[in-house]
Amino acid sequence: MLTDCRAKTGHVIVCGLDGVALRTIEQLHLAGVSVVVVAEGSQTRGHQNLSRWGIPVITGSARVRETLAAAGLAGAVAVVCVQDNDLQTLETALLVLRLRPDVRLVVQLANVGVGRALSELTGPGTVLDVASLSAPSVVEACLRRTEHRLEVEGTSFIAAELTVDQDGSLRELFGDLAPIAVVGHGGGDMVICPGRDHVVAAGDRVAVVGTEADLAAGRGPRRPVVVADRSREGRLRRAWGAVGRLARTLAGEADRSIGITLGVLAGVFGIAVIVLLIGYRKPDGRHMNLVDAIYFTVETIGTIGYGDFSFAAQAQWLRVFAIALMILGATLVTMLFALLTNLLISRRIAESLGRRNLGRMRGHVVVVGLGSVGMRVVEGLLAQSRTVVVLDRDEDNRYLAQARALGVPVVIADATQPATLHTVGLAKAAAVAVLTSDELINIETGLAMRDQLGERWREVPVVLRVFDAALAETVETSLGFRFVRSASALAAPWFVGAALGLDVLGTFYVDRMPFLMARLTVAADGGLDGLAMQELSARTRVVAINRAGSSAGQLEYPPRSGTRFEAGDRAYIVGPYEELLQVLRRDALSASQLPTPPPRRTASTEGLRGG
């Protein structure tokens, strides 16, 4: 062990040093919170950062009582478990529950069922999943969504990115809508949380927050309102549209040989009907009508024969034609049934057919990398009725069965090869999300995508998952990628907030900057008690406040700059999460000011001890 922190008090213990763990440690450090890290093995990059920040590291297993004791568990105010896998994390969480049932515990678990069971012991909002927290931002980028819905005590707020169509101040253009960022159309630095008298020019993009009603009624650029057609004709059009989409889907999945067989069968059927109309004579000498000809053709090809029609008394040439029709028709029907059986039942043939026909898709989203984040993104895109194709290198991927059960085509191949990108129909794709767990592979794949997209590079969103913040900035500025996302950066605020008492409600990007909406309860005698909102950091915005003693849903919005905080107020704040953590630091950072952890069910905890 590198150090011993048994006597330390008022600190947060973070178990883990990779990905979201390092981001969580960094944000806690920037917020002025005392941190102790427990890490297994040698993780050079992480240790270098911790050494620079002056953060003590306990080297050892967090699943061992002595290691947690050396990290100062007895005096810690919170423990954050973000280890390499769910089993290690769960073991650590249960051990912490046994040793310190009163400590605030925050746990990262990807397994939803296990996480739900553990949250019954640790309390709501304390078991988090990085994939679920970060996937919505990736989905929004793929769909080019510039609106983010946020629920605040039963009221829907929307953070929307709007393009200015005339010069003027934010107050003139947007009224009471809360501006949180301005991005100039000519480039330059983003202005974060500008004042309402800030002047913008036509073409600038402004991110504002307000209720849905305020956005619809407010001044400035209007969002298009789509009204559903509920008339009988509208319902019929939607029904026929659904039938058409089903037919196109079936046609896209069908193999070429099925189409050829159906075409030949249809041709034979048509010729037989015409021959019967011309040559067949009933006992009374009359010709067949069209319905009789179709009916008898189906009988003959199906080799059924009900005795109502017969070729026995017909001309010899027609009887020879009937022999050929029965043989050829039975052969074609048998071939068609065999091909359909293979298409519906054979898994290997279904995969092969899918690869050959993905090129026919258009407007779909290609997801590269089927890990936990990739799977959540696939589910999010499907929920938005988007067609998805998955590309992964690992044929033993644990999520393959889940993706295929959702009807998503999966291609096992190298995403950096042009032939592979052609196979998944990149030329006609609407968006791409590159989400493997290796950032070097992600960058290489992104560059291959850019090369293959050619002139479409600027119009097709290519979302790139990059872990390191400095590398992400380099990729954006030097390589021209517009949608670089970090699952760790998106998820870390939730872990920090849960550890410190800042309730995170949502994370989203404005241009290339991650923003956060969070709820903060003003502490009695804390730094915010009695403070006017205009005295807060210039890079944060209070969009709503619920006064102490008011019932849920009685929001004051938008609050005026002269409004003063009072103890017990619930303030809803938007801004970059570093700034929000500084607000939290100003309000309460000592152990006595942190919220009391939620009660835990002692009986259940005791039961887990025995296990």
Side-chain angles (χ1 to χ4, degrees):
M1 294 186 181
L2 299 181
T3 187
D4 193 310
C5 301
R6 295 174 192 270
K8 200 173 184 65
T9 59
H11 59 291
V12 175
I13 299 174
V14 178
C15 302
L17 195 49
D18 282 332
V20 70
L22 188 59
R23 284 295 182 99
T24 301
I25 295 165
E26 177 186 25
Q27 295 309 315
L28 287 168
H29 172 68
L30 291 175
V33 179
S34 178
V35 184
V36 174
V37 176
V38 177
E40 295 187 37
S42 175
Q43 295 158 315
T44 307
R45 189 180 195 177
H47 279 296
Q48 288 176 346
N49 288 330
L50 299 186
S51 177
R52 187 172 68 252
W53 297 333
I55 295 175
V57 180
I58 306 298
T59 304
S61 173
R63 295 165 288 167
V64 177
R65 181 193 300 261
E66 289 73 18
T67 305
L68 292 176
L73 178 61
V77 296
V79 177
V80 182
C81 301
V82 279
Q83 289 143 283
D84 292 338
N85 60 64
D86 280 1
L87 181 58
Q88 292 181 2
T89 304
L90 182 61
E91 284 189 70
T92 301
L94 294 178
L95 179 59
V96 171
L97 278 174
R98 184 187 308 171
L99 299 176
R100 278 286 309 276
D102 60 319
V103 77
R104 178 174 289 273
L105 181 63
V106 186
V107 184
Q108 144 65 14
L109 282 177
N111 188 297
V112 177
V114 177
R116 189 181 301 113
L118 185 61
S119 65
E120 294 179 3
L121 304 176
T122 59
T126 57
V127 179
L128 305 172
D129 174 21
V130 171
S132 298
L133 297 176
S134 58
S137 179
V138 177
V139 172
E140 288 173 353
C142 288
L143 302 181
R144 287 183 173 273
R145 292 273 175 85
T146 57
E147 295 184 358
H148 319 276
R149 187 176 297 274
L150 305 160
E151 292 295 325
V152 176
E153 298 194 19
T155 301
S156 290
F157 280 76
I158 294 178
E161 193 174 321
L162 306 173
T163 301
V164 177
D165 55 12
Q166 59 181 317
D167 296 353
S169 69
L170 294 175
R171 190 186 307 277
E172 294 169 342
L173 295 174
F174 298 100
D176 287 335
L177 296 176
I180 59 173
V182 173
V183 182
H185 69 283
D189 294 335
M190 176 190 295
V191 181
I192 298 175
C193 295
R196 297 181 189 276
D197 294 323
H198 181 86
V199 177
V200 293
D204 289 351
R205 287 179 291 128
V206 179
V208 297
V209 176
T211 64
E212 191 165 10
D214 289 340
L215 279 171
R219 287 173 290 174
R222 301 295 181 89
R223 300 180 301 138
V225 178
V226 179
V227 180
D229 185 355
R230 302 186 181 277
S231 65
R232 182 172 179 271
E233 292 76 12
R235 291 195 299 270
L236 286 174
R237 281 195 295 271
R238 288 193 293 272
W240 278 113
V243 172
R245 287 192 297 272
L246 176 61
R248 289 191 295 271
T249 301
L250 292 175
E253 292 294 329
D255 183 53
R256 184 183 177 189
S257 57
I258 294 178
I260 293 174
T261 304
L262 278 171
V264 174
L265 184 58
V268 170
F269 186 90
I271 292 172
V273 170
I274 293 172
V275 169
L276 289 175
L277 286 172
I278 296 173
Y280 192 92
R281 296 283 182 173
K282 294 183 179 181
D284 59 5
R286 290 184 298 118
H287 287 284
M288 278 187 165
N289 59 35
L290 180 60
V291 174
D292 287 341
I294 293 174
Y295 171 75
F296 192 28
T297 300
V298 173
E299 272 191 326
T300 306
I301 290 177
T303 64
I304 301 170
Y306 293 113
D308 42 7
F309 293 104
S310 171
F311 286 100
Q314 301 301 311
Q316 185 173 351
W317 69 269
L318 193 55
R319 293 200 301 271
V320 172
F321 174 78
I323 294 171
L325 178 61
M326 284 185 281
I327 294 173
L328 184 58
T331 301
L332 290 171
V333 169
T334 302
M335 289 174 59
L336 181 61
F337 284 162
L339 290 169
L340 288 174
T341 300
N342 283 335
L343 178 65
L344 296 174
I345 297 177
S346 172
R347 177 177 175 180
R348 183 175 296 277
I349 292 180
E351 291 178 20
S352 176
L353 293 177
R355 287 195 180 192
R356 286 199 294 270
N357 289 281
L358 288 177
R360 301 180 188 177
M361 289 186 175
R362 60 179 65 248
H364 57 290
V365 180
V366 179
V367 175
V368 181
L370 194 61
S372 57
V373 175
M375 191 66 238
R376 295 292 185 274
V377 169
V378 168
E379 292 171 341
L381 290 168
L382 292 177
Q384 298 296 322
S385 301
R386 296 304 177 109
T387 303
V388 183
V389 176
V390 170
L391 187 54
D392 196 272
R393 293 186 177 190
D394 184 8
E395 60 184 8
D396 297 320
N397 189 307
R398 59 181 293 195
Y399 294 102
L400 287 182
Q402 186 176 348
R404 286 174 176 143
L406 293 172
V408 176
V410 180
V411 176
I412 305 299
D414 185 352
T416 63
Q417 299 301 313
T420 302
L421 300 181
H422 175 73
T423 298
V424 298
L426 178 64
K428 298 177 182 177
V432 179
V434 186
L435 307 171
T436 77
S437 56
D438 188 319
E439 59 189 5
L440 180 59
I441 291 177
N442 290 345
I443 295 172
E444 183 183 4
T445 302
L447 292 173
M449 297 279 184
R450 185 177 70 176
D451 180 61
Q452 291 299 309
L453 284 169
E455 295 180 356
R456 298 184 67 228
W457 162 247
R458 286 297 171 189
E459 65 185 64
V460 176
V462 177
V463 186
L464 214 60
R465 180 184 180 186
V466 176
F467 298 82
D468 184 81
L471 180 60
E473 184 177 357
T474 301
V475 169
E476 288 178 333
T477 55
S478 302
L479 300 181
F481 286 92
R482 294 163 294 156
F483 304 100
V484 179
R485 298 291 184 264
S486 168
S488 302
L490 288 165
W494 297 79
F495 288 87
V496 174
L500 299 182
L502 184 69
D503 296 323
V504 178
L505 303 180
T507 54
F508 57 92
Y509 272 79
V510 175
D511 197 45
R512 297 173 178 175
M513 173 74 71
F515 276 71
L516 185 75
M517 175 178 265
R519 177 178 58 229
L520 173 66
T521 302
V522 179
D525 300 324
L528 295 183
D529 192 1
L531 188 75
M533 292 185 187
Q534 62 189 4
E535 299 176 40
L536 277 179
S537 165
R539 290 164 61 92
T540 60
R541 178 81 64 200
V542 180
V543 297
I545 189 169
N546 186 307
R547 288 299 187 181
S550 299
S551 60
Q554 292 185 357
L555 294 173
E556 178 184 327
Y557 62 88
R560 301 303 173 188
S561 59
T563 301
R564 293 187 177 275
F565 292 108
E566 297 178 4
D569 288 349
R570 294 192 298 275
Y572 295 87
I573 311 175
V574 174
Y577 58 82
E578 295 93 339
E579 303 296 331
L580 265 64
L581 291 177
Q582 293 301 325
V583 174
L584 179 65
R585 180 185 183 187
R586 183 169 186 170
D587 181 54
L589 281 179
S590 67
S592 63
Q593 292 173 314
L594 286 173
T596 303
R600 300 198 171 98
R601 301 192 312 181
T602 307
S604 297
T605 306
E606 292 297 330
L608 287 170
R609 292 180 192 171

